[in-house]
Amino acid sequence: MRKVAVVGAGLTRFMRRAQETGPELAWLAASQALESCGLGLKDVDSVAIGTAPDAFDGVHMKGEYLAPGAGGWGRPVTRPYAGGGTGVLVPIHAWFNVASGLFDVCLVVAEEKMSTCHPHPQGAFVTIFDNILERPLEPNLIWIFALEMQRYMDTYGITKEEIALVSVKNKRNGLDHPSTHVAEEITVKDVMESEVMVSPVNRLDVSPVSDGAAAIVLVSEDVARRISDNPVWIDGIGWNLDTAYWTNRDLAYPSYVERAARMAYKMAGITEPRKQINVVEPYDPFSYKELHHLEGLLLCDKGQAAKITADGVTQRNGDMPVSPSGGLLGVGNPIAAAGLMKVAEIFWQLRGEAGRRQVPGQPKVGLAQAWGDLMQVGTVVVMRVD
Amino acid sequence: MGSSEQIDRVTDLRAWPGEFPVSHLYTMGIAGERFFRELKDNGRFLGSRCAACDHVYLPPSIFCPRCFAALDEWKEVGPQGTVRAVTTAHRGVDGTTLKTPETLALIQLDGADDLLTHRIKESEGLEIGARVAPVLKETPEREGSILDVRYFRAV
Ligand SMILES: [Zn+2]
């Protein structure tokens, strides 16, 4: 397998309702990513497109629909899919394109336009449940997160106030992100007093419904050395799927995230992740998920993520900055685009190009992770700069 | 017990009825907004041109999918055009027989490189290569929709 580097990234604003079509959003991000590394569409050998359920955009064959805006016209195009985990699965898939030797330059584009879906994307989410056992109960997606959050809180004795600190941190971090539509300065009290959606999940524990697109450019080592002074290497990739029956697994601990992380760590030669990983972008569609994922990623002991958050370890200037971008809670959540935004953030952080979001200490190794399907898939990339 | 081939009525199976409870609102996008405003307000068709690829897109696009250039050269095309393919449908959207068969064509508006799909009426025996013109709704009835063009007919 060949070495693979990220050399460019692009991102649209995240919005509640974009006027742009999906292909127009894809083009804005994709053309920006190419321009950022001095490449043109003519240099692109293959295209990987990531986008979550077709039902959001109301377009079947959404990969093909997005392809003209993603640079896919007349090129080998593929669309890997793992629900909410797609945003990090698509660069993993693109890695195959380049590492295999088949292609030297792969354009990676993720888009989501959830505002198309009416009355609410919950109508699309409902069909991920078991049609016979669960849909007759008319479940809302937040129900299962509320139940998982309770298993997590009860197992480790974690309070809602401790979990609310994640929303406070990420929404504040998001204030420094030009793409945000949900950043704000809030307090734990604000989170606790926001509308109860499905107890114990309050309004400010949840990321929004968003439109947006993200793109990165993956290249072979030869191309990276030729066109870039500071390529960011993809050192490790990992992904893992748990049972589709969410009632049959340990909801207090995401073991599928651990298995994905162990796969990526082994490949990247990471033996002590807490010491070797300098900056982390775990998937945070809900406040407790950032904590859940930090534990699954072996970046703290089980049940200890709330404590390191309270101790300030995960702040931008802490020992292990977590979601310095602001994450899904602080920037927005156009599903697949949000996952790829996290990969782009690690790219910018490792190059020292994150502007006001830059974490101190010249980080060398970073990790991005996404999660999804019926909360059973973990996708992980480990990145490094020389 | 067993395979569905042995069951004549699906209601004999134990099943739970379901549907995909969503509807959609599709934005026309940046280029589409401009195309439909021009059609609604002035009854004209707008394409966009990529000079590098020498291609006029219809409907227009704000980018060139061939070379990724941003496009801002808007060009009026049509209203007349040439039929490039024509068919008469006897079955409708749900597969049932149409009371009145409907003729559809791929039309190349003058000055455009791409084709537009639309209905054909009042045009007996229309063939490939025939010249057609749009029949538009009156201005007050137009709402910025492809149905502002009622149909095309032979000229
Ligand atoms: Zn062009």
Side-chain angles (χ1 to χ4, degrees), chain B residues 50 52-53 64 66-67:
Chain B
C50 178
C53 299
C64 177
R66 289 171 171 80
C67 74

XYZ file of all heavy atoms in Angstrom, chain B residues 50 52-53 64 66-67, ligand 1:
41
model
N -19.937 28.217 -20.823
C -18.534 28.096 -20.440
C -17.702 28.403 -21.679
O -17.758 27.658 -22.671
C -18.206 26.706 -19.915
S -16.448 26.565 -19.495
N -14.422 28.385 -21.949
C -13.305 27.451 -22.103
C -13.753 26.164 -22.795
O -13.024 25.610 -23.619
C -12.694 27.135 -20.740
N -14.950 25.687 -22.456
C -15.448 24.433 -23.040
C -16.369 24.693 -24.231
O -16.832 23.736 -24.849
C -16.180 23.612 -21.977
S -15.130 23.159 -20.581
N -19.159 24.955 -14.377
C -19.029 24.045 -15.510
C -18.615 22.673 -14.980
O -17.533 22.526 -14.408
C -17.972 24.552 -16.493
S -17.720 23.397 -17.859
N -17.632 20.262 -16.599
C -16.507 19.733 -17.376
C -15.162 20.261 -16.881
O -14.178 19.546 -16.897
C -16.677 20.094 -18.853
C -17.798 19.338 -19.543
C -18.054 19.900 -20.939
N -18.974 19.058 -21.703
C -20.295 19.072 -21.565
N -20.865 19.884 -20.686
N -21.061 18.274 -22.280
N -15.109 21.559 -16.504
C -13.811 22.138 -16.125
C -13.842 22.844 -14.766
O -12.803 23.292 -14.288
C -13.331 23.105 -17.206
S -14.217 24.674 -17.224
Zn -15.922 24.445 -18.857
